[in-house]
Amino acid sequence: GRNGSGKSNFFYAIQFVLSDEFSHLRPDQRQGLLHEGTGPRVISAHVEIIFDNADGRLPIDKDEVYLRRVIGAKKDQYFLNKKNVTRSDVMNLLESAGFSRSNPYYIVKQGKINQMATAPDSQRLKLLREVAGTRVYDDRREESKSILKETEGKLDKIDEFLRTIEERLQTLKEEKEELKEYQRWDKQRRCLEYTIHERELKENKRKLEELEASRANSGAEQARLGSEAKTASENVRSASKRLKEAKKEVQSAKEERDTLSAEQQQLLKEKTKLTLTINDLLEEVKGDNDSRKRAQQELEKLKENIALREKELEKIKPEYDEMKRREEEYTRTLGLKEQKRKELYAKQGRGSQFTNKDDRDKWIQNELKQLTKQIRDKEDHQRKISDDLKKDAEKQKDLEKKIDEYTREMEKQRAAIDEHNKQYYELTKQKDQCQATRKEQYRKESVLQLNLSGLKEDLAKADQSLRSMA
């Protein structure tokens, strides 16, 4: 044909489907194949070759085989008998039929005959193999060899993995024996723990019963706790009232954000003062507790002294009673003797007993002095013991008064501490509410600022548009 009649385009179209020359196209080359020049753009193009397969050269059970390649801006597809297939399947099919991708002998270009005539024997042998279609089998053999080699490597890995698993199984068997031994000892440990817990439970039940009995006998304590509970309920009601008032204050504080900041600083100062006051009160309570302990120790000592005095009194009291009984007996005996003596004097006369009256009076005076001295000693001893008992009783009363005073003072301090703690809690709660209100006000202010900025921008745009229209 003439020059420019389209011979080259015809051969390029065949190469486009069957060879590798148009397999890797750049975007500009792909666009050049789709459209050149002016006019409406084409989004896709295709080339279709129809093979006569009456001799069965292609391994397809059809007399005609349709092979089409469709190319677009981004797509590149192959269709075999109007079915979408991959490029590798198409190349393998062509290789099996004798179509070489790298050396397409079925398309003879200018100067190709001279190149084939002057080619060496090895290159011509390679060309004959490609024409005969044996290259595809060589490629598949090499591919099979590589797959076989990979399979052998995988088998070695599997053997190594099996050896690792066997070692792990042996380790697990040893661990299994250790686990059985551990479970046996753990079972014994749990049995011992259950036994100990059962004993502790019985002991706790016994103590609980004792506590229940002591609680049943603590009527005065229950009354005191009832009064404290009543006081606490009154405090709760007053606290509820203060809470309602605080809510009202918070409601009004939403409109006074700046004022709340100053109040918050004041509250922080008061919180610090209250903390210091609480610490001082705790130190005072600690000192009162120490004084109470010392007073209790003194009371214990006084009780021990009183007990010793009472023991001494108990020891002396039988002697005193015995002496008193003997004194009564002596007095009675003396009276009897005196009466008998008088009778004897009446019978025998006074001269037979005493030589004179002075001897008799002297003897009687001596006897009276001895008896009077004994009685006076006993009375002095009894008086000392009574005085000691009175002094100990007075000391005990004084100590009990001091203990009661310290107890009342400690209760007052505890009540003051509880009141300060309640005030601190209320102030903390008010502070948190004020902070939440401030955050809400800040958020609303930010939203208003954003809205104001948007409105200013809209106003500026509207002003600009009006100026442009004017």
Side-chain angles (χ1 to χ4, degrees):
R2 299 180 185 179
N3 291 331
S5 61
K7 299 188 297 295
S8 299
N9 292 336
F10 180 74
F11 286 116
Y12 285 145
I14 295 174
Q15 285 181 337
F16 177 73
V17 178
L18 300 181
S19 68
D20 287 338
E21 291 188 10
F22 296 93
S23 60
H24 303 288
L25 297 175
R26 295 192 301 274
D28 54 347
Q29 294 175 347
R30 189 185 294 267
Q31 189 62 35
L33 289 176
L34 291 175
H35 178 78
E36 283 187 358
T38 60
R41 291 183 176 275
V42 180
I43 60 174
S44 66
H46 71 274
V47 176
E48 187 177 49
I49 299 176
I50 302 173
F51 294 96
D52 185 5
N53 195 30
D55 57 353
R57 187 173 183 180
L58 295 172
I60 297 176
D61 295 334
K62 287 187 179 180
D63 294 335
E64 291 183 351
V65 177
Y66 296 86
L67 180 61
R68 174 183 288 192
R69 182 180 180 184
V70 181
I71 189 173
K74 294 182 179 181
K75 66 179 180 178
D76 190 0
Q77 297 176 335
Y78 286 86
F79 293 89
L80 183 63
N81 290 333
K82 299 181 180 180
K83 293 181 180 180
N84 190 4
V85 294
T86 61
R87 184 174 182 280
S88 60
D89 293 338
V90 172
M91 294 298 123
N92 291 331
L93 179 66
L94 294 176
E95 289 283 349
S96 62
F99 293 96
S100 176
R101 290 183 293 175
S102 61
N103 190 8
Y105 64 89
Y106 43 83
I107 298 174
V108 181
K109 298 181 181 179
Q110 292 181 358
K112 198 69 174 177
I113 300 299
N114 294 329
Q115 184 179 357
M116 291 175 63
T118 58
D121 295 338
S122 59
Q123 188 173 357
R124 278 183 283 181
L125 178 62
K126 183 178 180 180
L127 180 61
L128 290 175
R129 286 180 178 177
E130 290 177 354
V131 171
T134 59
R135 183 178 177 182
V136 63
Y137 299 107
D138 293 336
D139 294 340
R140 289 180 181 177
R141 184 183 65 181
E142 295 296 330
E143 185 177 357
S144 299
K145 285 181 179 181
S146 63
I147 292 171
L148 182 61
K149 188 174 180 180
E150 291 178 359
T151 304
E152 290 176 353
K154 289 180 179 179
L155 285 174
D156 294 335
K157 290 181 179 179
I158 289 170
D159 292 335
E160 185 178 357
F161 186 65
L162 287 174
R163 286 194 298 271
T164 305
I165 290 174
E166 289 177 356
E167 293 176 357
R168 181 60 179 164
L169 286 173
Q170 185 65 28
T171 306
L172 289 175
K173 286 180 180 179
E174 295 176 357
E175 291 179 355
K176 182 179 178 182
E177 296 297 328
E178 293 178 357
L179 180 61
K180 286 181 179 179
E181 185 69 16
Y182 169 74
Q183 288 176 351
R184 184 172 65 83
W185 287 107
D186 186 63
K187 185 176 180 181
Q188 294 181 2
R189 180 183 61 80
R190 287 199 301 271
C191 292
L192 292 174
E193 286 180 354
Y194 292 154
T195 304
I196 293 169
H197 290 164
E198 183 68 22
R199 290 181 181 177
E200 290 180 352
L201 181 61
K202 290 180 179 178
E203 183 67 21
N204 290 328
K205 284 182 178 179
R206 184 181 62 78
K207 291 181 180 179
L208 183 62
E209 290 175 356
E210 293 177 356
L211 290 174
E212 289 291 337
S214 63
R215 185 180 64 83
N217 296 326
S218 59
E221 185 68 19
Q222 287 181 357
R224 186 179 65 81
L225 291 175
S227 62
E228 289 182 358
K230 186 176 180 180
T231 306
S233 62
E234 292 177 357
N235 292 331
V236 168
R237 284 195 294 272
S238 62
S240 300
K241 187 176 180 181
R242 289 198 298 273
L243 180 61
K244 291 180 181 178
E245 293 175 356
K247 286 183 179 179
K248 292 179 181 178
E249 290 177 359
V250 169
Q251 186 67 25
S252 62
K254 289 182 179 180
E255 299 174 357
E256 299 175 355
R257 181 170 58 86
D258 297 333
T259 307
L260 284 174
S261 298
E263 291 180 357
Q264 182 185 5
Q265 296 295 329
Q266 186 65 27
L267 289 174
L268 289 174
K269 292 179 181 179
E270 291 181 359
K271 174 187 171 184
T272 306
K273 291 180 181 179
L274 288 173
T275 304
L276 295 173
T277 305
I278 289 169
N279 292 330
D280 294 337
L281 290 174
L282 289 175
E283 291 178 356
E284 291 179 1
V285 169
K286 187 176 180 182
D288 292 338
N289 290 330
D290 295 336
S291 300
R292 183 179 178 182
K293 288 180 180 179
R294 289 194 297 271
Q296 287 179 353
Q297 291 176 359
E298 291 179 359
L299 179 61
E300 292 295 331
K301 290 180 180 180
L302 287 174
K303 287 182 178 179
E304 290 178 357
N305 194 4
I306 290 169
L308 290 174
R309 296 295 183 182
E310 287 178 351
K311 288 180 180 179
E312 292 178 358
L313 183 60
E314 288 176 356
K315 290 179 181 179
I316 295 170
K317 190 174 182 180
E319 296 179 359
Y320 174 73
D321 294 336
E322 182 66 22
M323 294 297 291
K324 190 174 182 181
R325 184 182 62 77
R326 289 172 63 184
E327 182 183 0
E328 292 175 354
E329 289 180 357
Y330 290 151
T331 304
R332 188 171 55 254
T333 306
L334 182 62
L336 293 175
K337 294 293 184 180
E338 286 288 337
Q339 187 177 0
K340 190 175 181 181
R341 184 173 60 83
K342 287 178 181 181
E343 291 177 356
L344 290 173
Y345 283 161
K347 290 179 180 180
Q348 296 178 2
R350 296 180 183 176
S352 61
Q353 184 177 2
F354 297 102
T355 57
N356 53 24
K357 185 178 180 181
D358 293 331
D359 294 336
R360 185 197 64 184
D361 294 337
K362 189 181 292 184
W363 180 80
I364 291 170
Q365 290 295 328
N366 289 330
E367 291 293 328
L368 288 174
K369 285 180 181 179
Q370 290 178 1
L371 291 173
T372 305
K373 186 178 181 181
Q374 290 178 1
I375 291 169
R376 192 181 298 112
D377 293 337
K378 296 295 182 180
E379 289 177 352
D380 291 337
H381 185 66
Q382 184 179 3
R383 194 179 301 110
K384 288 180 181 178
I385 292 172
S386 299
D387 293 337
D388 291 336
L389 289 174
K390 288 180 181 179
K391 290 179 181 179
D392 292 338
E394 290 176 357
K395 287 183 179 179
Q396 183 178 1
K397 289 180 180 179
D398 293 336
L399 289 174
E400 288 178 354
K401 288 180 180 179
K402 288 182 180 180
I403 289 170
D404 293 336
E405 290 176 359
Y406 289 147
T407 303
R408 287 193 295 271
E409 185 67 24
M410 185 173 67
E411 292 295 332
K412 289 180 181 178
Q413 296 295 335
R414 286 181 180 174
I417 290 170
D418 294 336
E419 185 66 26
H420 286 302
N421 287 332
K422 288 179 182 179
Q423 292 178 3
Y424 172 72
Y425 173 74
E426 292 294 332
L427 292 173
T428 304
K429 191 173 180 181
Q430 290 179 6
K431 184 195 75 173
D432 295 337
Q433 291 177 354
C434 292
Q435 286 181 351
T437 305
R438 185 180 66 178
K439 289 180 181 178
E440 183 67 21
Q441 294 294 333
Y442 284 161
R443 187 182 65 80
K444 289 181 179 180
E445 184 180 4
S446 300
V447 173
L448 291 174
Q449 289 290 340
L450 291 174
N451 293 332
L452 181 61
S453 300
L455 291 173
K456 286 182 178 178
E457 290 179 358
D458 294 339
L459 181 61
K461 289 180 181 179
D463 191 9
Q464 187 176 2
S465 62
L466 287 173
R467 289 181 180 178
S468 61
M469 290 173 64

